[in-house]
Amino acid sequence: MIYQFYQRRVFPHLLNQVMQTASLMDKRRELLLPIEGEVLEIGFGTGLNIPFYGNVDALYALEPNPDIYHLAVERVQHAPFNIKHVQSSAEKLPFADASLDHIVSTWTLCSIPQLDQALAEIYRVLKPTGTFHLVEHVKHPDSVKIQSLQTLLTPIQKRIGDGCHLNRDIERSLAQAKFKFIEKQYFDAEGIPVIAQKMLLARVQKIDLDQLS
Ligand SMILES: C[S@@+](CC[C@H](N)C(=O)[O-])C[C@H]1O[C@@H](n2cnc3c(N)ncnc32)[C@H](O)[C@@H]1O
């Protein structure tokens, strides 16, 4: 009962605050400014990316959690382009095969229960020339000490952070899902605790499976 109150009434507000950390907002700008046309954003959260979509005409805002989306509604109403809320999860995307030019994820891949299934779905709905743009906190690529801490604390983080894993190797998962990197940049985000500070900003496209065979 108390946990349910925390999840429904407290966590969405915490999320809305933490995700506005200045260093994260800077990276949102860098990731989203070059995107044009129609976009699917997975894990839309409280709508913090809206101001950075300078050249977007229409956005599908996929967000399964109504308590989190509730905090996005006002931002959506004032957006300068059309936004359609899709209440669904990334593991089962309600879009046709090869139908989208751009898919975006900002700090969402950590929270998706079935990550491999979600990446397979993103692969399915992306056009052959389409791009998946992402920025995520990741398993530390070098420090064994931080990796161990991330693994130790992930069960607690999942509980207090709505399913968030601290120790996901996102680069590896993307490669396993048959994406190739167009851009890849690791950085430390200022103002974020060391266990979630290492970030990956990347743009990936589908490897052409026909060319492989
Ligand atoms: C850490 S929050 C990030 C929110 C937002 N993307 C941002 O940048 O502020 C993770 C988001 O992923 C969403 N999420 C969790 N499981 C999901 C799933 N299976 N499919 C899509 N989104 C999911 C959560 O509801 C939450 O909005």
Side-chain angles (χ1 to χ4, degrees):
M1 175 111 161
I2 292 174
Y3 183 62
Q4 207 188 15
F5 178 80
Y6 167 77
Q7 276 216 301
R8 296 204 55 195
R9 301 280 168 247
V10 180
F11 178 76
H13 294 276
L14 284 179
L15 179 74
N16 189 39
Q17 285 307 313
V18 172
M19 298 314 291
Q20 293 186 62
T21 301
S23 61
L24 306 188
M25 295 306 264
D26 287 347
K27 285 295 174 181
R28 294 181 193 278
R29 179 178 294 106
E30 181 180 337
L31 183 76
L32 303 174
L33 223 51
I35 303 176
E36 295 177 354
E38 193 180 72
V39 182
L40 163 64
E41 183 178 331
I42 58 163
F44 183 67
T46 62
L48 296 175
N49 286 333
I50 292 173
F52 306 113
Y53 284 120
N55 299 303
V56 162
D57 307 319
L59 177 77
Y60 295 106
L62 185 127
E63 175 52 60
N65 185 328
D67 297 315
I68 291 179
Y69 186 78
H70 180 68
L71 300 185
V73 169
E74 205 175 319
R75 293 186 178 114
V76 167
Q77 281 166 353
H78 292 102
F81 48 87
N82 186 39
I83 299 180
K84 185 178 187 307
H85 180 208
V86 181
Q87 192 173 351
S88 182
S89 68
E91 291 97 330
K92 198 165 190 293
L93 294 174
F95 294 90
D97 295 0
S99 60
L100 294 165
D101 286 312
H102 298 285
I103 301 180
V104 163
S105 168
T106 59
W107 299 286
T108 292
L109 300 185
C110 59
S111 299
I112 294 175
Q114 306 297 328
L115 178 59
D116 293 345
Q117 174 65 30
L119 292 177
E121 276 293 270
I122 290 167
Y123 191 100
R124 180 184 67 77
V125 302
L126 204 55
K127 287 182 184 172
T129 53
T131 305
F132 179 31
H133 312 255
L134 60 118
V135 59
E136 303 287 338
H137 65 81
V138 295
K139 176 178 172 181
H140 200 286
D142 314 309
S143 166
V144 175
K145 196 172 139 199
I146 297 176
Q147 287 172 4
S148 306
L149 258 182
Q150 288 177 317
T151 297
L152 187 74
L153 295 177
T154 285
I156 301 168
Q157 175 73 2
K158 280 173 74 178
R159 202 77 184 130
I160 60 176
D162 194 33
C164 168
H165 297 69
L166 294 165
N167 59 350
R168 282 192 165 162
D169 184 341
I170 300 295
E171 179 177 347
R172 189 159 149 248
S173 295
L174 287 163
Q176 281 173 347
K178 305 277 184 286
F179 286 103
K180 63 182 176 199
F181 285 82
I182 306 304
E183 186 181 338
K184 182 173 71 179
Q185 169 198 143
Y186 281 97
F187 65 97
D188 289 314
E190 225 174 272
I192 300 294
V194 71
I195 48 160
Q197 193 175 36
K198 187 61 82 181
M199 308 273 174
L200 170 65
L201 183 151
R203 298 182 207 277
V204 299
Q205 292 187 329
K206 290 159 75 155
I207 293 174
D208 186 346
L209 295 179
D210 291 340
Q211 276 184 359
L212 287 181
S213 55

